[in-house]
Every structure is written in C-alpha cells, then in structure tokens.
Amino acid sequence: MASDGAVTAGMNGAALWQSFAMIIVSELGDKTFLIAAILAMRNPQLVVFGGAFAALAAMSLLSSLMGQLLPALIPKLWTQYAAALLFLAFGLKMLQEARGMEGGSKEMEEEMQEAMEEIDQGARGARTPVEMRDMEGGVAGGLGSPSLKGGRRKKGGVEGVREVAAAVLSPVFVQAFVLTFLGEWGDRSQISTIALAAAHGWRVVTLGTVVGHGCCTALAVVGGRWLACHISIKNVTFGGAVLFLIFGIIYFREAWIFTGEDASVFA
C-alpha cells in the first residue's frame, strides 16, 4: 500500500511539473502574453493581471474538465496514444516554426503588432478614456462615491466591496478577460491541457496549468515589454519544441507499458 501511494504521488508530481512546464514554454511570448503586456502599459497592472489571469484560470479548469470526460468516452489506452501523438505533432510543428524564424526580435515585433491591433479593435465602441479612468477610480455609476457628509469616503467592508466591484466591472478588466479568453480558445496550450487531463486527471493538471499561467501573466504585466525586446522567440520556440517531443516520447512509453499490462491480464 505504501509503495502504491509513493507511485501515485510520483505520477502526480510528474504531471504537475509537465503541466507547469508546458504552459511556460507555450505562453512565453505568445499573443495572450503580449496582450497582457500591452494592456498593462496603458492601464493599472493589477486590474489587467486580474482579468487575464481569471480568463486563463477559467480556460484551464474548463480544458481539464473536458479532458477528464475523455476516458469515460474513449479507452484510457487510446487517450495515452492520442496525447503522445498530439505532443509529437506540436513538437514537430514548433521545431519547423523555429527553423523558419530569423534571429533577433523580428518575430516578436510582428506578434506585438498583431496583439496591438486586436486590442485596438476590441476597444472600439468601448467607453472613452475619461470614463474608463473614472470607473477604475470607482466613481463611475456611483461606485465608491464620496460621502455627502464632509466629502469623506466611507471606510470599512462596504468600501472594500465597492472597490473590488469597481475593478471587476471595469472596462479594462472585461477587456483583458475577453481578449485573453478568446485568444486562448483553440490554442496549443488548451489542447495540450485537455490531453494531459485525460492522462492524469483534472485536479493536478488544473493546478499545474493555473500556476504556470499565473507566473507567465505576472511576468507579462510587470516586465512584458522589456522581456519582449530581449528574448529570442526562436530560442523559446525551439526549447518548447524539444520539451513537447520529450513529452510525446514519455506518453508513448507509458501507453506501451499500459498495453503490456493489459496483455498480461488477459493472458
């Protein structure tokens, strides 16, 4: 029993690390990473982080639950082989992309330009900058308005709730959430999350991906602009390709072992 528990803990630890590493190599320098970085240059960083991270956490949970349903519809052996094929396919595709890239920051500048265009398109029809600043300060719509007596703001829990509501309902939060969620839907990291959850379960994969997204989003919000100008997207893509290929080999090995165990049971 103790050995079984140790094996389970080891598998969960490996799945946690794989989920975390997959997000890091997939999201660093990605379009959603740049969207968070650009929004943070123009708006309060904490609000941008909250909106982007909320979208990524929701996507991670949704993708993990989708992966959890697969073993109920498809035999576990098939999900193992499917995960291996997906990681190998993504790894080869990323390797091909890395080989076609030029050194330097040209690709990153192109991604940055695309992200800025998406942000500008999403901002059309939104509130004016003055209204957005008012909402951020909690004065739009009567949120956090000064007290009528002496112009003093109310203190305590009510004021805290108002400030949180003003941030969550602000156009910047909504913009960061929507742009990030739509940009992540159908992305390589979402499909990889589904594959990992199908192989290891939704809880540990959700934890690993959420922590990974939190680190990437925080890095984007705090120093995304500087990082985008100093990292080579070619090297990041090449490193991600190698990691995905390693994951593919690992899952093929696990599926092969699982096949042998099934054969011994029916022998």
Side-chain angles (χ1 to χ4, degrees):
M1 296 296 293
S3 60
D4 292 342
V7 171
T8 302
M11 293 177 61
N12 288 337
L16 184 66
W17 178 83
Q18 290 174 12
S19 303
F20 176 83
M22 180 271 294
I23 292 298
I24 295 297
V25 299
S26 298
E27 296 301 317
L28 191 62
D30 194 28
K31 187 177 294 183
T32 53
F33 178 93
L34 296 176
I35 286 174
I38 295 170
L39 286 175
M41 296 177 214
R42 306 175 177 179
N43 304 283
Q45 293 180 342
L46 188 59
V47 178
V48 173
F49 174 83
F53 180 67
L56 293 170
M59 181 65 72
S60 295
L61 178 59
L62 179 61
S63 302
S64 297
L65 292 176
M66 291 171 64
Q68 183 71 19
L69 294 176
L70 285 181
L73 305 174
I74 305 174
K76 184 175 178 60
L77 178 62
W78 293 12
T79 60
Q80 292 278 0
Y81 277 118
L85 289 173
L86 280 173
F87 278 116
L88 288 177
F90 284 146
L92 291 174
K93 186 174 184 296
M94 293 175 70
L95 188 62
Q96 184 179 8
E97 291 174 355
R99 292 180 61 183
M101 291 178 179
E102 300 179 1
S105 59
K106 181 179 180 180
E107 285 79 12
M108 185 66 75
E109 292 175 357
E110 293 176 354
E111 288 282 346
M112 182 81 74
Q113 183 63 33
E114 292 181 7
M116 293 181 69
E117 290 176 358
E118 287 193 12
I119 292 173
D120 292 338
Q121 290 176 0
R124 291 173 184 173
R127 291 182 173 86
T128 64
V130 174
E131 290 174 329
M132 293 177 69
R133 286 195 299 269
D134 289 344
M135 184 68 82
E136 292 298 330
V139 298
L143 289 175
S145 57
S147 174
L148 295 177
K149 296 181 179 180
R152 296 180 178 177
R153 297 171 61 88
K154 295 182 180 179
K155 303 295 183 179
V158 175
E159 182 63 26
V161 172
R162 286 178 174 176
E163 291 177 356
V164 172
V168 172
L169 298 176
S170 70
V172 174
F173 183 95
V174 174
Q175 185 182 26
F177 183 95
V178 172
L179 288 176
T180 303
F181 192 89
L182 294 179
E184 196 68 15
W185 185 263
D187 193 45
R188 180 166 46 218
S189 59
Q190 186 199 17
I191 299 174
S192 300
T193 301
I194 295 173
L196 285 171
H200 298 289
W202 69 275
R203 291 182 178 85
V204 64
V205 173
T206 300
L207 177 61
T209 53
V210 167
V211 173
H213 279 306
C215 293
C216 283
T217 306
L219 187 61
V221 168
V222 174
R225 181 74 178 188
W226 180 90
L227 191 64
C229 296
H230 289 80
I231 66 173
S232 171
I233 191 65
K234 180 175 182 177
N235 294 336
V236 173
T237 304
F238 182 78
V242 172
L243 189 63
F244 272 65
L245 290 174
I246 292 174
F247 286 172
I249 295 172
I250 291 174
Y251 280 106
F252 257 123
R253 178 178 176 275
E254 292 180 354
W256 184 261
I257 295 174
F258 191 76
T259 303
E261 292 176 351
D262 282 355
S264 64
V265 170
F266 291 104

